[in-house]
Amino acid sequence: MKGTHLGELEELVLLTTALLDGNAYTVTIAKEIQVQSDRSITLSTVHTSLHRLEKKGFVESYVGGTTKERGGRRKRLYRILKAGYQALEQSRELRNRIWEQLPKPSFE
Amino acid sequence: MSKMKNVRPPKWPDRLLSWYCSDRYFEEVQGDLHEWFYHRVATQGVSRARLMYGIDVLRYFRSFRLKSNEKLSQNSNYISMKQILKLTYRNLKKDPLSAFLRILNLTVGIGIFLLTFIYARYELNYDSYHDEPQNVYRIGHSLRTEPWAATPMGLGQYALDNFAEVESMTRFFRVSNTWIKYEDNIFMEKRGFFVDDGVFDLFKVKIISGDLDKALNPINAIILTETLAIKYFGRTDAIGELVELETDRGRPRQVTAVIEDIPEQSHLQFDFLLPIKVFGDRFRNAWRNWATYTYVRVKDGADLENMSKILLNEYEERYNAQGSGNLQPFFTPIQKIHLHTNHEKELADNGNVSYVYILLSVGAFVLLISSINFVNLSVVKGFDRSKEVGLRKTVGASRTQLTIQFLGENLLLLGLSGLFCLLLLVIATPVFGNFSGLSLPLNVLESPEILIPLILVIFLLLLICGVYPAMSLSKFKPVQVLKTGMSHLRTSKLGLVRRGLIIIQFVISIVLVVSSFVIYNQLTHIQEQNLGFEKDQIISIPVESGPLNDSFSSKFDVFNDALLRVTGVKSTTVSSSVPGTRIMVEGVQEIGAEDAVTTRILLADDDFVNTYGLEIINGKDFIKNAPDAPIEYILNESAANFIFQDRNPVNEMIRWSRDTGKVVGVVKDFNFQSLHHEVEPLVISSRGRNSWLSVRFEPASVESVRDGIERLSRDIYPDLPPIEYEFLSDRFENLYLAESRLRSLVWFFCIVSIVLTVSGIFGMATYMAKQRIKEIAIRKVLGSDLSNLLNLLSRDFLVLLSLALLIAIPAGVWLSNWWLRGFADKISVGAGVFIVSSLSIIVLVVASASYVTYRAASMNPVDALKND
């Protein structure tokens, strides 16, 4: 399983990519993460994460349309792949499983 | 929106981006960035957006987005490098034995060579801490042909006053052994000198506290090294402290400076310095005693020959020896002193330059053996890959490309070995330090300069060892190798070049074994040699004749009487020197003869001959227990022959200094110096003098004698530091310290070279047996027995070994005799040495080849044949 580990940030980016189905690219993902988690994130971080996810076979990219703000430059859109979706599911199952075993904490 | 229309992202980050970003990412990244910029303008304002835009661009700077990365991944060299790495890894994995042997050989070979190189560099760089070391000289002179390191005291001042070329001068005049006292701390100190003001002009010592310019001004100044300051005061800022010296007769001295310890790489070691001004002008300018070491720094290009001539004039005038040719002053470059001089009255046991070169060449030989193994193993390994080479050629690889590929593999192996070898050196540091007493800079982290020779050696080896295998492998004809595999003719036998290389290996190993034997035998011979006197049962105690108060000699008689009553003490004697230390050289004249002759002269009491067990062959011993007896002389055989030729010396009168006396006896020659020297003429005078006390003891009661000396030292001299004593046999062992070290090192290198040679033979034999596995199987099926097969496979090596013996034996004889010429008393190199060393190599080689053959021959032939 070497090379398919999903880091925390990568998981977040991957989830957001899935969420923004069809319109997921660096800028929208960064904006969405800001909105969702209220944490400020730089474009290059997102871009690097996407690059890694693509290498791991979790997402694929394709060249998409352009908008005025981009000055006519095309954007690279990302789409989650089956392996990516499975990785997300696995990660969630793992967490659920551990949550279920968690004893009720008492913080007093 | 209309406002936003006018806002544009700043230009310079865009330019930066287009400069570094590869085309694969440029468009999307720039688009994203622009979009983000407008997003920022909307949320955070224009100025902040402009600022952040630049930062964002910089943040995109990651290696995978770089233009150079894109170029690199398309670069053919990069691709082939990647492939070379991968292939090398696979090849090494496929045959771990060969990989292990090759890396081991290189690691050990390079490591040992580097070790000897660092050692040689260390030895060759003595005394380089001075100012312009190439211009610093020690003035010496030779008397007849004997060179002296020490000169008259007046010489230094004369040189400074009369030569414009001499920029600065200092004399070093030894302070006789003395104790130094500070409060309760009192220790014996032996390494002190009186020096001139110019000393720090020549000797660039590093100051810790005090002012070097003024440190020698007060007449009662003392300059200490760091070690000594800490020994007495526990700290280095000791300026102004008062200490007492035995030699000062009660007047205190003031510490004026503390300097760093003298570098280990210097022939002139000292712990404290005193101003020479203490002595009056008359003493300082006298030309009487030859006991002062004179150092000068001259101007660039000074005419030393002319200066020597002028000095010669002065010498001849001073000693009334015009035109006698007996005296000859000379200048010794300070950096040559350590390795190139061994003069009379030398300050240190200097090294020997030929030993440095011997070790360096042994190191180079070990490297050569290991490189030959590397080449041979690489070439035979290459035959395994003939199909790979054939295929590569077929699909269009050029010979150059293949050569580069093999060179790349070799470079990788060399680099790997280089790393291991650095590790090896770090591990070896304490071992080598313990053994040699030197702290060599072997740790690469502390002394990165050893990387330079390492890299040079690696590249040299790459050129020498890499090119031949690479060329010979890339030479294969593709059709041939693909059609038939490698032709058996080429692989089952050794090629001519490889045969030659193996012979060289054998020769070197045999010569090294022979040399180790010779060195070992010679040193054992020396140590067991009967020196003509008793050295194993003597303890010697240095007794300086200091002032009467508070010194050892004050209660000497009490001490000596008490000592004679200690159980186990047989007899004691006082003398001016003991065997193994320097014995002075003076003029001795037969009464009635015209000229004095120079001989060694020893002053001793009436127990000397008896205590040292000298054999009187003519005449008798000194008269016993007669304090007012006239001076008498005893000669050794050499002196008797030297002074009296064929006449009988007994009852003749001779004179030394002001003592005229009768020769009463002649003793058999004994080796009072190291066996590097012939026995010199020696005259023993009965004028006893307290310089050394020698104690002869019963070997069985050695503990009682030691306890006795320590107890008497405490009881009789409660205020003095404990008396120091040494066994005479230790002193004689120290005379051969350089040889003992050389012996251990050469042994070690010899064993390493044998192990390497055998490992190479082992690797080659393994490979050859593998190649002939089917032949062996068929022979076995047809009825060959094991001995036939052993003969078949080891024969090649035996032939080579015999050839090597033919070369190695004459070389060994020559080399051994060359080394032995440095000894006055030497062993003869007999046939035994050669037989033993040849046999040991033959046995090892045959054993390793046989083992491999045995393994191949004892397997079931079916296993080898069933695959066809």
Side-chain angles (χ1 to χ4, degrees):
Chain A
M1 287 299 281
K2 191 189 160 201
T4 55
H5 172 77
L6 203 54
E8 194 265 349
L9 180 71
E10 282 172 13
E11 188 176 349
L12 195 59
V13 172
L14 189 56
L15 265 174
T16 320
T17 311
L19 181 68
L20 296 170
D21 187 30
N23 189 30
Y25 65 102
T26 318
V27 177
T28 51
I29 293 171
K31 277 186 189 167
E32 189 64 32
I33 290 176
Q34 271 185 351
V35 171
Q36 294 274 358
S37 69
D38 198 25
R39 90 190 212 193
S40 129
I41 188 165
T42 66
L43 274 191
S44 64
T45 319
V46 177
H47 190 250
T48 309
S49 288
L50 284 168
H51 178 78
R52 290 203 185 117
L53 289 168
E54 197 174 6
K55 271 185 111 178
K56 290 177 184 176
F58 291 163
V59 298
E60 66 175 1
S61 69
Y62 55 100
V63 176
T66 166
T67 60
K68 213 171 204 173
E69 289 108 322
R70 302 179 62 87
R73 294 178 189 87
R74 285 172 300 172
K75 52 190 158 197
R76 181 170 292 270
L77 290 157
Y78 291 83
R79 177 161 55 215
I80 189 163
L81 291 173
K82 200 174 168 202
Y85 197 76
Q86 279 168 352
L88 282 176
E89 271 185 332
Q90 268 175 19
S91 146
R92 185 166 118 184
E93 271 166 30
L94 176 70
R95 274 158 216 236
N96 286 347
R97 210 164 48 237
I98 296 174
W99 267 113
E100 278 160 21
Q101 295 164 21
L102 219 58
K104 203 161 175 67
S106 56
F107 291 115
E108 279 89 325
Chain B
M1 278 311 266
S2 62
K3 194 181 168 198
M4 268 181 69
K5 285 255 156 80
N6 304 327
V7 184
R8 289 257 179 283
K11 280 277 178 329
W12 67 265
D14 270 355
R15 254 179 264 133
L16 180 68
L17 187 70
S18 67
W19 172 71
Y20 77 71
C21 190
S22 84
D23 291 344
R24 183 163 147 32
Y25 295 104
F26 181 66
E27 187 174 348
E28 54 160 309
V29 167
Q30 198 173 35
D32 286 349
L33 278 168
H34 280 203
E35 206 177 327
W36 198 245
F37 172 75
Y38 292 117
H39 170 67
R40 276 225 162 97
V41 171
T43 56
Q44 297 172 322
V46 179
S47 55
R48 180 143 184 97
R50 292 180 77 95
L51 175 70
M52 291 310 287
Y53 184 74
I55 293 172
D56 281 340
V57 167
L58 285 177
R59 279 186 174 148
Y60 259 94
F61 193 87
R62 289 278 173 88
S63 75
F64 75 90
R65 301 192 192 97
L66 298 187
K67 264 185 184 157
S68 54
N69 189 5
E70 187 183 12
K71 272 193 205 147
L72 190 64
S73 60
Q74 286 162 4
N75 182 312
S76 65
N77 283 334
Y78 173 74
I79 297 172
S80 58
M81 243 350 261
K82 240 168 102 175
Q83 219 171 8
I84 286 170
L85 276 172
K86 209 182 272 176
L87 279 171
T88 311
Y89 174 69
R90 285 182 191 159
N91 273 318
L92 294 181
K93 224 173 119 184
K94 208 159 69 184
D95 189 354
L97 175 72
S98 156
F100 171 74
L101 284 180
R102 278 191 288 171
I103 291 183
L104 175 87
N105 264 288
L106 285 180
T107 306
V108 173
I110 299 175
I112 285 199
F113 177 72
L114 218 54
L115 184 66
T116 53
F117 180 86
I118 295 168
Y119 167 73
R121 216 180 76 116
Y122 180 89
E123 286 282 313
L124 292 168
N125 277 309
Y126 257 64
D127 290 302
S128 39
Y129 76 97
H130 310 288
D131 203 14
E132 301 172 33
Q134 72 283 359
N135 283 338
V136 176
Y137 294 86
R138 184 178 71 187
I139 306 181
H141 65 245
S142 47
L143 172 67
R144 300 201 176 80
T145 52
E146 175 102 80
W148 281 63
T151 44
M153 198 179 252
L155 173 70
Q157 194 60 48
Y158 177 85
L160 190 63
D161 293 343
N162 289 277
F163 297 124
E165 296 97 320
V166 172
E167 289 179 336
S168 44
M169 181 279 295
T170 183
R171 289 166 286 195
F172 276 76
F173 182 71
R174 196 182 262 289
V175 180
S176 45
N177 293 357
T178 173
W179 46 254
I180 297 182
K181 189 166 152 189
Y182 173 74
E183 293 173 358
D184 286 340
N185 293 334
I186 177 166
F187 303 102
M188 283 304 287
E189 300 298 344
K190 297 171 180 165
R191 306 199 305 180
F193 288 94
F194 294 100
V195 293
D196 277 293
D197 293 347
V199 61
F200 301 120
D201 235 13
L202 284 99
F203 292 73
K204 285 293 165 203
V205 297
K206 295 201 181 76
I207 184 85
I208 291 179
S209 57
D211 180 0
L212 279 189
D213 291 335
K214 297 178 193 145
L216 285 166
N217 283 349
I219 209 101
N220 67 339
I222 182 169
I223 298 175
L224 301 177
T225 58
E226 198 181 349
T227 305
L228 223 57
I230 287 173
K231 186 166 155 189
Y232 285 95
F233 309 106
R235 59 200 155 83
T236 53
D237 54 336
I239 307 301
E241 295 288 352
L242 295 178
V243 294
E244 254 182 80
L245 269 70
E246 177 181 7
T247 41
D248 284 340
R249 299 158 207 245
R251 287 192 304 273
R253 272 188 189 272
Q254 191 175 24
V255 178
T256 53
V258 176
I259 56 175
E260 272 183 26
D261 289 350
I262 303 308
E264 205 179 279
Q265 277 168 289
S266 173
H267 79 285
L268 181 53
Q269 296 288 336
F270 53 84
D271 295 324
F272 66 96
L273 298 175
L274 311 177
I276 205 168
K277 289 191 295 233
V278 160
F279 303 110
D281 276 348
R282 255 185 72 185
F283 186 80
R284 271 188 290 154
N285 293 327
W287 282 63
R288 265 197 62 78
N289 288 322
W290 293 351
T292 310
Y293 303 89
T294 312
Y295 295 84
V296 292
R297 193 183 63 232
V298 299
K299 294 201 170 96
D300 281 324
D303 187 353
L304 296 176
E305 219 166 290
N306 187 39
M307 285 158 72
S308 305
K309 257 184 217 150
I310 297 171
L311 277 183
L312 177 62
N313 266 335
E314 185 66 18
Y315 259 93
E316 293 191 332
E317 219 161 276
R318 295 272 176 181
Y319 295 113
N320 277 327
Q322 278 86 347
S324 69
N326 281 342
L327 288 159
Q328 183 59 52
F330 54 81
F331 290 76
T332 314
I334 194 162
Q335 290 176 298
K336 292 247 163 171
I337 290 176
H338 174 62
L339 285 179
H340 295 269
T341 66
N342 194 8
H343 295 170
E344 187 66 35
K345 269 206 152 159
E346 200 67 67
L347 273 168
D349 293 332
N350 287 335
N352 185 331
V353 73
S354 69
Y355 290 179
V356 173
Y357 288 126
I358 287 178
L359 276 184
L360 195 58
S361 37
V362 172
F365 279 140
V366 172
L367 182 62
L368 185 60
I369 290 182
S370 62
S371 322
I372 289 175
N373 279 340
F374 178 74
V375 170
N376 280 347
L377 290 172
S378 301
V379 172
V380 294
K381 274 310 289 172
F383 291 130
D384 275 352
R385 298 168 64 179
S386 51
K387 286 217 166 117
E388 179 198 328
V389 174
L391 199 63
R392 279 173 176 277
K393 280 201 163 176
T394 318
V395 296
S398 71
R399 197 169 164 190
T400 327
Q401 273 173 331
L402 284 170
T403 310
I404 287 173
Q405 188 198 329
F406 285 117
L407 275 180
E409 282 196 30
N410 288 336
L411 183 60
L412 196 73
L413 285 177
L414 280 166
L416 213 56
S417 311
L419 285 181
F420 286 142
C421 135
L422 290 178
L423 207 66
L424 201 70
L425 285 180
V426 174
I427 298 169
T429 310
V431 183
F432 195 83
N434 276 349
F435 160 76
S436 68
L438 302 170
S439 48
L440 289 189
L442 292 179
N443 190 332
V444 68
L445 297 177
E446 286 159 18
S447 39
E449 70 272 9
I450 67 174
L451 283 177
I452 298 167
L454 178 69
I455 289 169
L456 282 179
V457 167
I458 286 183
F459 272 93
L460 203 69
L461 286 183
L462 184 66
L463 276 183
I464 298 168
C465 307
V467 168
Y468 171 68
M471 297 298 275
S472 80
L473 294 180
S474 54
K475 208 163 57 181
F476 298 153
K477 297 246 175 340
V479 178
Q480 206 185 344
V481 288
L482 286 177
K483 217 160 70 182
T484 62
M486 262 324 273
S487 80
H488 279 278
L489 275 180
R490 289 230 27 185
T491 55
S492 59
K493 289 219 177 110
L494 295 162
L496 197 62
V497 177
R498 271 173 294 141
R499 277 164 192 274
L501 292 178
I502 289 181
I503 291 182
I504 294 176
Q505 265 189 326
F506 282 149
V507 170
I508 296 172
S509 304
I510 297 167
V511 168
L512 279 180
V513 176
V514 169
S515 321
S516 320
F517 268 116
V518 169
I519 293 178
Y520 184 83
N521 287 350
Q522 171 69 22
L523 290 170
T524 317
H525 170 73
I526 281 180
Q527 268 151 19
E528 288 169 0
Q529 176 77 3
N530 182 6
L531 296 175
F533 68 94
E534 187 48 67
K535 84 168 155 59
D536 293 325
Q537 300 173 21
I538 298 236
I539 285 177
S540 55
I541 302 172
V543 191
E544 278 293 333
S545 47
L548 283 177
N549 290 331
D550 304 329
S551 76
F552 187 68
S553 46
S554 61
K555 294 178 209 155
F556 175 75
D557 289 336
V558 180
F559 179 79
N560 195 24
D561 287 347
L563 193 58
L564 279 167
R565 286 195 299 273
V566 170
T567 324
V569 172
K570 280 167 133 181
S571 64
T572 64
T573 179
V574 287
S575 52
S576 56
S577 301
V578 291
T581 60
R582 180 179 176 271
I583 296 181
M584 62 182 169
V585 177
E586 299 269 323
V588 170
Q589 190 170 16
E590 185 192 352
I591 301 301
E594 267 180 36
D595 291 318
V597 292
T598 42
T599 70
R600 301 265 165 195
I601 184 149
L602 181 76
L603 315 180
D605 68 7
D606 47 22
D607 275 321
F608 187 82
V609 171
N610 166 33
T611 304
Y612 275 90
L614 303 183
E615 191 189 332
I616 294 183
I617 53 172
N618 188 1
K620 54 185 176 47
D621 199 352
F622 293 138
I623 301 170
K624 285 272 175 199
N625 301 324
D628 299 324
I631 296 293
E632 294 175 328
Y633 289 101
I634 291 178
L635 312 182
N636 72 352
E637 276 175 283
S638 306
N641 292 336
F642 183 50
I643 304 173
F644 295 99
Q645 285 87 37
D646 302 331
R647 292 174 289 134
N648 182 4
V650 175
N651 292 329
E652 299 290 335
M653 303 293 281
I654 60 173
R655 188 174 71 209
W656 162 72
S657 184
R658 296 192 194 91
D659 294 343
T660 304
K662 192 159 69 175
V663 176
V664 294
V666 177
V667 292
K668 211 167 167 211
D669 275 350
F670 61 104
N671 287 286
F672 53 87
Q673 289 163 304
S674 84
L675 288 178
H676 292 105
H677 304 272
E678 301 275 0
V679 177
E680 291 180 57
L682 173 75
V683 172
I684 306 174
S685 154
S686 66
R687 180 181 283 279
R689 198 203 243 186
N690 302 2
S691 275
W692 289 87
L693 174 65
S694 308
V695 182
R696 182 161 183 180
F697 59 94
E698 287 285 358
S701 342
V702 59
E703 283 310 316
S704 141
V705 176
R706 295 175 80 148
D707 291 347
I709 294 175
E710 278 154 28
R711 180 172 47 81
L712 292 178
S713 161
R714 270 195 314 272
D715 292 352
I716 299 178
Y717 303 105
D719 298 331
L720 293 186
I723 286 174
E724 293 174 9
Y725 59 90
E726 62 178 15
F727 289 89
L728 201 61
S729 48
D730 291 347
R731 174 169 286 274
F732 268 80
E733 248 161 58
N734 278 337
L735 291 180
Y736 306 110
L737 202 60
E739 283 82 9
S740 298
R741 279 179 193 160
L742 186 72
R743 170 173 67 175
S744 324
L745 278 178
V746 171
W747 262 122
F748 173 65
F749 289 163
C750 162
I751 288 166
V752 169
S753 74
I754 292 176
V755 169
L756 290 182
T757 307
V758 170
S759 83
I761 298 302
F762 185 75
M764 294 289 282
T766 308
Y767 179 80
M768 284 162 65
K770 213 164 86 188
Q771 288 294 310
R772 297 169 85 167
I773 198 89
K774 288 195 172 132
E775 181 192 339
I776 293 169
I778 290 171
R779 280 175 190 271
K780 238 184 133 176
V781 169
L782 294 178
S784 281
D785 61 6
L786 191 62
S787 64
N788 285 358
L789 292 174
L790 283 180
N791 179 23
L792 176 78
L793 289 176
S794 323
R795 199 171 45 205
D796 269 352
F797 291 118
L798 276 181
V799 170
L800 295 181
L801 197 52
S802 326
L803 279 173
L805 283 175
L806 285 182
I807 305 171
I809 287 178
V813 172
W814 181 81
L815 210 63
S816 306
N817 286 330
W818 176 79
W819 183 72
L820 285 173
R821 87 200 185 301
F823 289 88
D825 182 3
K826 55 190 155 208
I827 54 164
S828 55
V829 183
V833 167
F834 291 96
I835 294 171
V836 171
S837 32
S838 311
L839 272 182
S840 58
I841 294 262
I842 291 175
V843 165
L844 282 171
V845 167
V846 170
S848 67
S850 306
Y851 169 71
V852 171
T853 318
Y854 173 76
R855 249 188 2 188
S858 57
M859 70 185 282
N860 190 341
V862 174
D863 292 335
L865 293 172
K866 70 181 174 195
N867 292 331
D868 271 351

